[in-house]
Amino acid sequence: MSQTPHDGDLGTILAVFAHPDDEAYLAGGLMALAVDAGRRVVCVTATRGELGFGDDDPRTLEERIALRSAEMKACLAELGVTEHHWLEYPDGGCARVDDEDPVARLAELVEEVRPDTVLTFGPDGQTYHQDHIAVSRWTTRAVRRGGSDSELLYAVMTPEWLTALSAYVPVEHVMMTDDPPPTTPADQLALWFVCDEVLAARKVRALRSQASQVEALVSLAGLEAYTRLTRDEMFRAPTPADWPG
């Protein structure tokens, strides 16, 4: 484990997340870097993110799905990712999905892609979001099921990063429960990648392709601060307690 920035070479990547924009926030730089190096990158999104709008949003459910799907397509195009799979589970409903179906589908992908690295949420879902927690469980079980030798990594926040975010967004607005936010000290990170200026600008362009989700924070923080907030991508390795029995 390292306290120094990582060079970002993860080989073939399988990235599994819950909603459009999770992938860009948590691993956009790593995925773009891998694509540029000629590596295979496969991205999986569990839901279309149809609930990611305010209560006063006038769009129909179908219009929201169409918008978020189009935004996701534009985001991945900016990152250079051409292999993408929707699992088509309901936004906000992943916890109610029988694990067997998503685990089997993800295990099949792991077998086909044979990734060097699998990126996903940790068991706490990073924000305690039930969709994130379900995706973490599915992905962990899928990697374990096939006896894969892929390196599984969980996206995390350091205390310092969370403090930086809280200057613009109250932490309680990010968390899905009143529990203290889960953080990982920098010296316990398995991977800490920092985008350089060019890659950070590209990542921000990708994120801003998902304008319905990110423009409010860009406006609140300002583009410079938003770029600083999004340039670090941090992951920890699973512990024995993280592996399902």
Side-chain angles (χ1 to χ4, degrees):
M1 295 189 251
S2 175
Q3 290 177 269
T4 57
H6 191 280
D7 66 6
D9 186 359
L10 301 182
T12 296
I13 295 174
L14 175 63
V16 187
F17 294 107
H19 313 99
D21 83 359
D22 292 339
E23 74 300 313
Y25 270 121
L26 300 177
L30 287 164
M31 292 194 296
L33 192 73
V35 169
D36 291 350
R39 306 289 198 182
R40 185 178 182 187
V41 177
V42 180
C43 182
V44 178
T45 311
T47 80
R48 297 272 178 167
E50 61 269 20
L51 298 186
F53 297 85
D55 292 340
D56 60 348
D57 189 272
R59 284 171 280 238
T60 66
L61 189 63
E62 291 73 19
E63 289 170 336
R64 294 178 184 188
I65 290 172
L67 175 60
R68 296 215 66 183
S69 300
E71 289 180 338
M72 180 66 162
K73 182 177 180 180
C75 173
L76 293 179
E78 182 65 50
L79 298 176
V81 176
T82 58
E83 293 187 69
H84 179 238
H85 301 266
W86 297 104
L87 295 184
E88 303 289 5
Y89 297 123
D91 190 3
C94 291
R96 298 190 298 273
V97 174
D98 185 331
D99 282 2
E100 183 53 34
D101 181 66
V103 171
R105 293 169 69 183
L106 290 171
E108 185 176 346
L109 262 179
V110 170
E111 176 64 24
E112 189 273 315
V113 176
R114 296 188 177 277
D116 297 293
T117 309
V118 178
L119 305 176
T120 192
F121 301 104
D124 53 34
Q126 197 174 49
T127 62
Y128 304 118
H129 194 302
Q130 290 300 308
D131 286 351
H132 297 188
I133 291 170
V135 167
S136 174
R137 184 175 65 252
W138 300 342
T139 307
T140 301
R141 290 180 175 174
V143 170
R144 185 71 175 266
R145 174 173 293 190
S148 169
D149 58 1
S150 304
E151 182 178 17
L152 178 63
L153 294 174
Y154 293 145
V156 296
M157 305 176 287
T158 62
E160 294 80 7
W161 185 89
L162 193 63
T163 297
L165 177 67
S166 67
Y168 304 99
V169 180
V171 172
E172 59 269 22
H173 291 183
V174 178
M175 297 297 114
M176 303 300 290
T177 75
D178 294 331
D179 293 337
T183 59
T184 299
D187 62 358
Q188 294 180 24
L189 296 176
L191 187 157
W192 176 21
F193 177 66
V194 182
C195 299
D196 64 23
E197 288 189 13
V198 173
L199 187 57
R202 180 177 171 188
K203 178 177 178 176
V204 168
R205 289 196 301 273
L207 280 162
R208 296 188 78 181
S209 295
Q210 303 201 48
S212 70
Q213 307 303 304
V214 308
E215 283 305 311
L217 181 54
V218 174
S219 298
L220 185 64
L223 184 58
E224 182 178 349
Y226 182 80
T227 302
R228 287 198 306 271
L229 284 170
T230 57
R231 69 188 305 168
D232 290 61
E233 298 176 2
M234 298 162 288
F235 294 81
R236 71 168 177 86
T239 67
D242 296 322
W243 293 103

